[in-house]
Amino acid sequence: AQKVTQAQTEISVVEKEDVTLDCVYETRDTTYYLFWYKQPPSGELVFLIRRNSFDEQNEISGRYSWNFQKSTSSFNFTITASQVVDSAVYFCALSRRYSTLTFGKGTMLLVSP
Amino acid sequence: DGGITQSPKYLFRKEGQNVTLSCEQNLNHDAMYWYRQDPGQGLRLIYYSQIVNDFQKGDIAEGYSVSREKKESFPLTVTSAQKNPTAFYLCASSSGRAHNEQFFGPGTRLTVL
C-alpha cells in the first residue's frame, strides 16, 4: 500500500526565515514520482515540482529547493527567506497507477511579517 | 486562457437532494479526476477517467457518480446516499501519460443543510 506522511500539521515562521517541510513516503513500486503542490487560501492547488525515483539530484528554483533521499524515503521542501505570500497549505503526493496520486494531509505554513 | 473551470464556487443544498458539480477543461487533457478535501485532511480520490466514456472508482466512490461523455467535461453528482457530503471538491486533469502532473480547478465548496 502507498502512504505519504507529512508529520508537520502547521508551521509558523517570521518573514525571511528559512523553513523546511517534511515528506516521507512508502511505496513498493520501483518506479514512482513525487510531487509538491501549494494550496493558497483561494483553494486551487498549484503544481510546484515533480521528481522521479531515479533522479536524486536536488532541485532549486528561486527560493524553493527540494531534497530527495531515497535511502530515507523522504522528499523535503525548503523555502529560503520566506515571504508572507508563501503562506499556504503545502501537499506532498506520490504517483500510483493510472496517473492517480496519493496525497499527504498537508502542512499549513503561516508566514508573519 | 487554458485551464479548468468549476462551477459554482459555493453550493448549498438540502439534505436528501442530489447535486451535480461541474468541471470543464480546455487543456485537451485525456485524464480527469475528482477529489474531496475535508478540513485538515489531504485530498482523497473519488473518481477518475482516463478517456472519454470510461471512468473508474477511486478510494471513496460510495455515494457519488460521474459521467464522461465529452473529453472536456467530467461532472460529479453527489447523491443522497453520500453520508457526509459537506466538503470542498476539487477537479483536476492531466495529459494521461503515466506520472504526469495534474492541474487543478478552483474547487467547489458544497454545504448540505
Side-chain angles (χ1 to χ4, degrees), chain A residues 31-33 35 37 39 42-45 47 50 91 95-101 103-106, chain B residues 9 33 35 37 40-43 45 48 50 59 88 90 96-102 104-106:
Chain A
T31 301
Y32 53 89
Y33 283 72
F35 301 79
Y37 284 86
Q39 185 179 40
S42 60
E44 182 172 341
L45 266 73
F47 166 73
R50 179 183 70 158
F91 290 98
S95 65
R96 52 181 184 175
R97 70 186 188 287
Y98 307 123
S99 297
T100 59
L101 298 174
F103 283 86
K105 292 190 176 181
Chain B
K9 179 77 173 171
Y33 313 82
Y35 292 91
Q37 184 179 18
Q41 300 294 314
L43 279 67
L45 183 66
Y48 62 101
Q50 292 184 282
D59 301 315
F88 188 52
L90 285 154
R97 290 195 298 275
H99 308 298
N100 267 18
E101 62 269 26
Q102 295 178 16
F104 284 80

Side-chain angles (χ1 to χ4, degrees), chain A residues 6-24:
Chain A
Q6 295 180 257
Q8 304 148 309
T9 305
E10 186 173 320
I11 301 175
S12 292
V13 299
V14 177
E15 213 169 15
K16 297 184 185 174
E17 281 186 37
D18 297 348
V19 58
T20 295
L21 310 181
D22 297 332
C23 173
V24 173

Side-chain angles (χ1 to χ4, degrees), chain B residues 1 27 59 61 76:
Chain B
D1 276 338
L27 300 168
D59 301 315
L76 172 75

Side-chain angles (χ1 to χ4, degrees), chain B residues 16 21 24 29 32 47 50 68 88 105-106:
Chain B
L21 280 59
E24 304 277 330
H29 283 167
M32 296 186 74
Y47 267 97
Q50 292 184 282
R68 186 84 189 277
F88 188 52

Side-chain angles (χ1 to χ4, degrees), chain A residues 78-99:
Chain A
T78 297
I79 302 175
T80 303
S82 60
Q83 299 176 1
V84 172
V85 292
D86 295 327
S87 297
V89 180
Y90 291 87
F91 290 98
C92 181
L94 173 65
S95 65
R96 52 181 184 175
R97 70 186 188 287
Y98 307 123
S99 297

